[in-house]
Amino acid sequence: MERLRKYGFVIGFLAVPVALYTVFVISPYVQAFQLSLTSWNGVSSVVRYVGLDNFGRLFDDDTFWQALRNHGILLLVLPLLTIVIALFLSFLLNLGGGTRGAGMRGVWGSNFYRVVFFFPQVLAVAVVGVLFQAIYRPDEDGVINGTLARFGLGEPIGWLTEPGLALWSIIAVMVWQAVGFYVVLFSAGMAAIPKDYFEAASIDGAGRVRLFFSITLPLLRDTLQVGWIYLGIAAFDGFALIQVLAGDRGEPDGSTTILPITIYKTAFDYHKVGYASAMGVVLFFLTVTFAVLTLRTTRRERVEL
């Protein structure tokens, strides 16, 4: 009877959240899977099932493959750059000052720098996009080009209009915005490492580089795993920022085309909701596959501190 009462309380407590999650998260996924098997235009009351034809069409869609190539670049560069920069800054802020008394300390002004690094996180994505539109303007009124012109360093550069630069310019913005969050995440992980490890290694003559690679990095592996997955998921998104900076045409020459924007255009501009849903299903499975593979390939025995 006691067990029944306990489980009844748990079920009653979870019933509403689970119901809301089912309605607003699970249900749209199921509907997307269903729509991906149709040729529905989003307006007509007639829904014609076409089976797997939409998925077959993806193999001949150049825009789809261009979007996948851009996601591949994002997936390789965004997590790597963000994690490397965030790790370096976190180490400086928490352990870069060396030993002081009985413990380790960060560089001078660490608390102030934490606020500065985290500041981009409090800005809305649309605000960040508008801000960098001004920074990347392709004339001398742009912040970067204006600075280059002031020092006589060449003609204005089309940061968002040159095919070879557009995606990399956007990646730089994504890294800038994300680094602050991961500085906080990695700082929390470093704070959980017993300071005795660093003190003992320092007594044995280990320098800061050795402390980082021999103690900090191995003991942050689980935190790095989480950060890598989050950033990988972000690499499969990027809709709002790219929409603001480069528009929904993937300009220039498709160099900034990504699947979320392609899905949006296909559904609402071309009224091919069924085909757009098929792209959404592919994006869903790509994201899940990435997360699962990352968890499996980075799995290890838990380190007891």
Side-chain angles (χ1 to χ4, degrees), residues 32-67:
F33 294 152
Q34 179 186 10
L35 291 173
S36 68
L37 304 176
T38 72
S39 61
W40 188 47
N41 61 10
V43 178
S44 174
S45 59
V46 178
V47 179
R48 185 169 64 90
Y49 282 87
V50 295
L52 298 176
D53 287 357
N54 287 328
F55 296 96
R57 290 172 56 194
L58 291 175
F59 288 98
D60 298 321
D61 191 333
D62 293 337
T63 302
F64 173 76
W65 289 108
Q66 179 65 52

Side-chain angles (χ1 to χ4, degrees), residues 129-194:
V130 172
L131 173 66
F132 276 88
Q133 275 185 334
I135 292 174
Y136 283 148
R137 279 191 60 166
D139 51 39
E140 294 186 4
D141 290 332
V143 174
I144 297 179
N145 283 324
T147 303
L148 294 176
R150 191 169 294 112
F151 289 98
L153 297 178
E155 296 296 322
I157 300 172
W159 300 100
L160 296 174
T161 57
E162 294 185 13
L165 284 177
L167 185 61
W168 296 101
S169 299
I170 291 173
I171 290 175
V173 180
M174 296 174 77
V175 171
W176 174 82
Q177 187 181 27
V179 159
F181 173 80
Y182 293 95
V183 167
V184 173
L185 180 66
F186 297 152
S187 293
M190 291 179 189
I193 301 174

Side-chain angles (χ1 to χ4, degrees), residues 83-98:
I83 287 176
V84 168
I85 295 172
L87 271 176
F88 175 72
L89 295 176
S90 300
F91 186 78
L92 290 180
L93 295 179
N94 291 274
L95 307 168

